[in-house]
């Protein structure tokens, strides 16, 4: 009890001190007395709160963040950054990094978000951590990050506080909840906090040790739930039965009970398909010729009580130019291609810059729908999978409606769609502006093409007792406006059994907001499985645990990890402590272990800059 009181006193003292000295991020930072500066690094700011006129390099990308750019998003930009999953983001309150994210982060009212892609992403990953102090020099468009001994102490105390809150939640929810192991590790973490407070020179060492024990406590805090779906998306890059069995053994040992197996992707199937052959397309993905991996995956998974869902890239056919292979889908059927308004009359099949430079086929074309339905029938009848997981069940992404060239970035302006819409409403949609009354009808027309296909697949799956799930994008309004995906309609009409939304973030608060959006707009009968991208975005194991905690608080039906290729040992270690496997084991952290590495002192920027005199304490 004495230890807890002392620890709480320190938290209160630091909290009061922080409020008293809190400043914004526009004052340079000078370390406190006895505070050790481990790293100081600068990077060029490309733009603050981008718009099309100030950042043409990002005009084709979500959030208007272009390649290799570092962008600052303030509350003036909006509620979220709107970025995609190919960057990284740091959320700053005041001048302190409070969490790390990956995409579409919530912009704090009293702070901002640092967002980077490519080289900027690399700089953020190497020089910013929770607790870092940030200085923005907007006159010279330079950002500076500081890592000090206080950074590690802040990070350790935040992690301890998070575990304590989680432990209190489960203690209230479960009468049989056993928090002994969690408390033991928290006590050790608190001991190291006290040591860090007393020894400024060794503060980083002791704070790092406190973080280790707090992370271990977090991995034990969530109790095992046998009813929860625990899944993983897998691209099956394994070319013999032995390797497939080894992967399934590792999944079984990790407590994973559902596999979402990429089966039709980039316009090819992993199995030898009679449907593909009939249409003159590539019969089987070249890497798998000579054996049928889908059959092996399903048979061997079932031996281990693991269910297999066929992960199916519906309207996406890869990013290889059609002319590079005569049997590519769009080489054989160029009339199936999807077009944007701005390139509707192009003689070249367009690709989507914001979708891996990928090509899409037209949902409004009845031949496209017939082909995809026939391919799904072949899979369902021939292999009897446990589920079908429809991905890319949408149009390619456009810009958001608040951008001036929104309508020209929209997709679906194909000869088939334009002719049918003109016959229905007397207007060619290519002549419509967003202000025209018929614009909404044009959007509903395209949404209806996607929904009708989902309805047909639903009938197929229900008739064969196969679960149908769909990959959706949270934020219903944005999904309709930018991807023509009206998933709320699928739920209300009971077309799908469940949703597997993409939560493209490492931040649990952002993930919670996205979960709430789906819950508000789906029917009670539609299950919700959280698609967590922490591993893909190289977040921490604790980030993953916190997002699973969020899914438990909202009583979701399970979680699916993206993806197996990025599911490193530290994630599995954390998951199997308690969350994915109902077992207890003792982990010993050696006192002889060296502290985690911190970035080397770096006072350079990627643009020449002059040293400035420190002006004040941030």
């Amino acid at each position: 009890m004495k230890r807890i009181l002392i620890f709480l006193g320190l938290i209160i003292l630091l909290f009061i001190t922080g409020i008293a000295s809190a400043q914004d991020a526009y004052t340079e930072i000078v370390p406190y007395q006895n505070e050790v500066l481990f790293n100081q690094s600068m990077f060029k700011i490309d733009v603050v709160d981008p718009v099309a006129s100030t950042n043409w390099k990002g005009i084709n990308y979500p959030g208007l963040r272009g390649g290799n750019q570092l962008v600052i998003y303030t509350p003036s930009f909006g509620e979220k950054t709107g970025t995609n999953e190919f960057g990284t983001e740091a959320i700053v309150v005041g001048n302190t990094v409070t969490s790390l994210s990956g995409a579409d982060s919530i912009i704090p009212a009293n702070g901002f978000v640092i967002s980077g892609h490519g080289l900027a992403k690399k700089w953020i990953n190497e020089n910013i951590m929770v607790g870092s102090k940030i200085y923005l020099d907007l006159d010279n468009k330079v950002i500076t990050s500081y890592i000090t001994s206080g950074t590690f102490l802040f990070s350790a105390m935040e992690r301890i506080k998070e575990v304590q809150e989680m432990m209190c939640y489960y203690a209230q929810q479960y009468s049989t909840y056993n928090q002994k192991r969690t408390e033991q590790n928290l006590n050790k973490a608190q001991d190291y906090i006290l040591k860090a407070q007393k020894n400024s020179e060794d503060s980083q060492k002791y704070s790092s040790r406190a973080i280790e024990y707090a992370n271990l406590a977090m991995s034990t805090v969530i109790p095992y739930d046998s009813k929860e779906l625990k899944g993983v998306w897998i691209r099956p890059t394994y070319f013999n039965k032995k390797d497939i069995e080894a992967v399934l053994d590792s999944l079984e040992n990790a407590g994973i009970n559902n596999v979402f197996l990429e089966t039709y992707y980039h316009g090819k199937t992993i199995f030898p398909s009679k449907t593909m052959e009939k249409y003159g397309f590539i019969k089987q993905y070249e890497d798998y010729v000579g054996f049928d991996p889908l059959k092996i995956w399903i048979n061997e998974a079932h031996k281990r009580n693991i269910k297999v869902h066929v992960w199916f890239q519906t309207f996406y056919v890869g990013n290889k130019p059609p002319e590079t292979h005569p049997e590519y889908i769009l080489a054989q059927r160029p009339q199936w291609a999807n077009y944007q308004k701005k390139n509707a009359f192009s003689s070249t099949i367009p690709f989507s810059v914001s979708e891996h430079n990928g090509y899409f086929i037209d949902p409004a074309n009845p031949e496209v729908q017939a082909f995809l339905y026939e391919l799904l029938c072949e899979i369902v009848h021939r292999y009897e999978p446990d589920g079908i997981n429809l991905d890319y069940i949408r149009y390619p992404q456009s810009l958001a409606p608040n951008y001036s060239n929104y309508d020209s970035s929209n997709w679906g302006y194909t000869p088939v769609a334009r002719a049918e819409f003109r016959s229905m409403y007397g207007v060619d949609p290519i002549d419509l502006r967003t202000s025209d009354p018929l614009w909404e009808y044009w959007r509903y027309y395209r949404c209806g093409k996607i929904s009708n296909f989902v309805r047909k697949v639903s009938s197929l799956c229900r008739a064969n007792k196969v679960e149908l799930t769909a990959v959706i994008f949270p934020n219903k309004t944005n999904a309709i406006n930018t991807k023509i995906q009206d998933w709320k309609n699928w739920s209300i009409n009971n077309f799908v059994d469940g949703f597997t939304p993409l939560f493209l973030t490492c931040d649990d608060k952002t993930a919670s907001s996205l979960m709430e959006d789906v819950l508000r707009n789906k029917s009670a009968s539609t299950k919700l499985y959280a698609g967590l991208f922490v591993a893909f975005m190289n977040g921490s194991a604790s980030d993953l645990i916190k997002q699973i905690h969020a899914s438990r608080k909202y009583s979701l039906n399970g979680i699916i990890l993206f993806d197996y290729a990025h599911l490193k040992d530290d994630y599995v270690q954390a998951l199997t402590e308690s969350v994915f496997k109902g077992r207890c084991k003792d982990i010993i952290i050696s006192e002889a272990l060296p502290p985690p590495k911190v970035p080397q002192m770096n006072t350079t920027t990627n643009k020449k800059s002059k040293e400035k005199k420190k002006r004040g304490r941030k």
Side-chain angles (χ1 to χ4, degrees):
M1 179 61 70
K2 182 178 179 181
R3 179 194 288 114
I4 294 175
L5 290 174
I6 294 174
F7 182 70
L8 290 175
L10 286 170
I11 290 180
I12 293 171
L13 178 62
L14 284 177
F15 180 71
I16 294 172
T17 303
I19 292 177
S21 62
Q23 298 182 39
D24 59 31
Y26 305 99
T27 304
E28 289 190 76
I29 295 170
V30 175
Y32 291 117
Q33 185 177 5
N34 297 326
E35 186 176 22
V36 180
L37 177 62
F38 291 110
N39 184 69
Q40 176 183 341
S41 181
M42 296 182 283
F43 200 86
K44 178 180 72 70
I45 299 172
D46 287 280
V47 65
V48 177
D49 294 334
V51 295
S53 61
T54 62
N55 194 36
W56 63 269
K57 289 183 178 180
I59 196 169
N60 291 313
Y61 298 95
L64 287 174
R65 183 194 66 198
N68 294 312
Q69 288 193 321
L70 188 141
V71 178
I72 303 296
Y73 296 95
T74 76
S76 297
F77 183 81
E79 180 185 354
K80 295 182 178 181
T81 62
T83 49
N84 62 25
E85 67 271 27
F86 301 106
T88 194
E89 297 181 334
I91 299 167
V92 182
V93 174
N95 69 347
T96 304
V97 176
T98 59
S99 61
L100 299 174
S101 184
D104 199 19
S105 301
I106 297 172
I107 303 171
N110 54 345
F112 53 92
V113 175
I114 307 164
S115 181
H117 173 273
L119 295 176
K121 173 182 177 179
K122 183 175 184 291
W123 178 81
I124 293 172
N125 288 338
E126 292 177 350
N127 295 282
I128 292 181
M129 60 182 288
V130 172
S132 293
K133 295 293 184 180
I134 301 297
Y135 165 52
L136 299 179
D137 180 356
L138 297 186
D139 291 336
N140 295 292
K141 300 188 75 173
V142 172
I143 181 174
T144 306
S145 170
Y146 302 82
I147 294 178
T148 71
S149 52
T151 298
F152 290 93
L153 188 59
F154 177 92
S155 183
M157 295 178 72
E158 282 292 299
R159 184 57 41 79
I160 290 171
K161 183 176 68 174
E162 290 166 344
V163 177
Q164 288 174 327
E165 291 173 352
M166 293 166 69
M167 186 170 62
C168 289
Y169 171 82
Y170 290 109
Q172 294 173 358
Q173 296 294 315
Y174 300 95
S175 59
T176 58
Y177 179 63
N178 185 352
Q179 58 194 51
K180 181 178 179 181
R181 281 202 306 158
T182 305
E183 286 180 331
Q184 288 174 341
N185 288 306
L186 277 182
N187 288 339
K188 291 179 180 179
Q190 290 164 352
D191 285 339
Y192 278 111
I193 289 290
L194 296 175
K195 290 180 180 180
Q197 289 283 354
K198 295 176 181 178
N199 300 275
S200 59
E201 290 299 319
D202 291 325
S203 176
Q204 182 262 335
K205 170 187 173 182
Y206 291 130
S207 297
S208 298
R209 195 69 74 194
I211 293 172
E212 290 183 57
Y213 277 110
N215 286 339
L216 183 55
M218 182 169 284
S219 69
T220 65
V221 72
I222 302 179
Y224 174 73
D225 182 355
S226 61
K227 301 183 297 297
E228 180 182 63
L229 181 144
K230 301 170 181 68
V232 63
W233 278 290
I234 294 181
R235 173 164 290 181
T237 54
Y238 310 95
F239 309 114
N240 58 68
K241 183 179 179 182
K242 181 179 179 181
D243 287 346
I244 293 173
E245 290 175 334
V247 172
L248 287 167
D249 286 340
S250 70
L251 296 176
E252 183 182 23
N253 291 333
I256 290 172
N257 53 31
N258 280 256
V259 166
F260 290 73
L261 185 74
E262 201 165 25
T263 301
Y264 170 68
Y265 63 99
H266 289 187
K268 304 177 189 178
T269 57
I270 65 171
F271 64 93
S273 169
K274 296 178 180 178
T275 303
M276 298 291 285
E277 186 177 28
K278 169 187 169 182
Y279 279 83
F281 305 148
I282 296 173
K283 180 179 179 180
Q284 183 181 18
Y285 224 113
E286 294 87 343
D287 292 338
Y288 306 103
V289 171
F291 81 119
D292 188 342
L294 182 56
K295 181 178 180 181
I296 296 172
W297 276 96
I298 292 176
N299 289 343
E300 292 300 320
H302 287 171
K303 291 178 183 178
R304 295 162 175 80
N305 294 317
I306 296 175
K307 293 183 177 180
V308 177
H309 305 251
V310 164
W311 177 15
F312 190 92
Q313 290 185 352
T314 313
F315 295 109
Y316 177 69
V317 292
N319 54 10
K320 300 293 185 183
E323 62 271 16
T324 57
H325 197 295
E327 293 180 348
Y328 279 167
I329 288 176
L330 286 177
Q332 285 286 311
R333 301 286 195 283
Q335 68 273 22
W336 287 8
N338 207 332
Y339 286 83
Q340 284 175 291
K341 180 177 182 177
K342 65 183 180 182
N343 53 37
F345 300 103
S346 173
S347 59
T348 303
I349 296 174
F351 55 80
S352 172
V353 173
S354 61
E355 305 259 17
H356 323 286
N357 292 333
Y359 296 85
F360 286 74
I361 50 180
D362 179 19
N365 191 318
E367 292 182 3
V368 167
Q369 294 218 9
F371 156 67
L372 292 171
Y373 182 77
E374 191 173 342
L375 183 57
L376 282 165
C377 285
E378 179 182 11
I379 292 171
V380 169
H381 294 144
R382 182 174 167 187
Y383 293 97
E384 299 180 348
D386 299 288
I388 297 292
N389 184 226
L390 295 178
D391 196 2
Y392 288 96
I393 185 70
R394 57 180 177 83
Y395 280 72
Q397 179 170 275
S398 74
L399 294 175
N402 57 318
Y403 297 140
S404 59
N405 54 341
Y406 165 64
D407 63 330
S408 65
S409 71
N410 265 234
W411 291 77
Y413 294 85
T414 65
V416 170
R418 289 169 55 200
E420 184 175 30
F421 188 84
R422 185 169 54 244
S423 70
M424 295 168 64
Y425 299 103
V427 176
D428 187 335
I430 207 162
D431 296 323
L432 293 175
R433 306 286 296 182
T434 56
S435 57
D436 294 332
L438 281 177
W439 175 263
E440 292 299 314
Y441 289 85
W442 169 232
R443 187 172 60 187
Y444 293 148
Y445 166 85
R446 290 172 293 163
C447 283
K449 294 300 181 181
I450 301 290
S451 296
N452 285 337
F453 184 76
V454 175
R455 177 183 54 80
K456 288 188 288 188
V457 178
S458 175
S459 297
L460 169 68
C461 290
R462 297 277 164 79
N464 291 275
K465 298 180 180 180
V466 173
E467 183 178 27
L468 178 62
T469 56
V471 176
I472 64 168
F473 283 81
N475 189 324
K476 174 182 68 70
T477 301
N478 189 57
I480 291 176
N481 286 334
T482 66
K483 300 179 179 69
I484 317 297
Q485 186 185 65
D486 186 8
W487 51 259
K488 181 176 181 178
N489 178 45
W490 312 343
S491 179
I492 291 173
N493 288 286
N494 198 31
F495 291 162
V496 295
D497 298 300
F499 287 139
T500 59
L502 306 178
F503 298 139
L504 307 176
T505 181
C506 295
D507 177 53
D508 60 305
K509 296 180 183 65
T510 301
S512 294
S513 173
L514 297 173
M515 292 175 192
E516 289 174 0
D517 180 78
V518 179
L519 288 169
R520 280 194 303 269
N521 290 287
K522 76 173 189 67
S523 67
S525 61
T526 305
K527 296 178 181 178
L528 179 53
Y529 307 111
L532 305 184
F533 268 60
V534 173
F536 180 82
M537 293 180 167
N538 199 34
S540 69
S542 292
D543 290 334
L544 181 56
I545 296 295
K546 287 191 288 183
Q547 289 195 17
I548 294 174
H549 173 59
S551 75
R552 290 283 186 93
K553 287 197 296 183
Y554 291 116
S555 301
L556 304 193
N557 301 95
I559 62 104
I560 310 171
L561 307 175
F562 193 97
D563 61 349
Y564 180 74
H566 295 85
L567 195 61
K568 297 181 294 188
D569 290 343
D570 58 331
Y571 299 120
V572 176
Q573 178 69 57
L575 291 171
T576 54
E577 283 296 312
S578 176
V579 183
F580 272 20
K581 303 201 80 171
R583 69 182 186 186
C584 292
K585 58 184 180 181
D586 292 325
I587 298 294
I588 299 175
I589 297 178
S590 172
E591 299 300 318
L593 286 176
K597 292 182 180 179
V598 297
Q600 297 298 312
M601 177 65 75
N602 178 4
T603 57
T604 61
T605 179
N606 63 330
K607 273 194 169 184
K608 292 182 180 179
S609 62
K610 295 180 180 180
E611 280 294 322
K612 294 183 180 180
K613 199 172 182 179
K614 305 294 182 186
R615 292 195 296 262
R617 169 64 181 163
K618 164 78 169 135

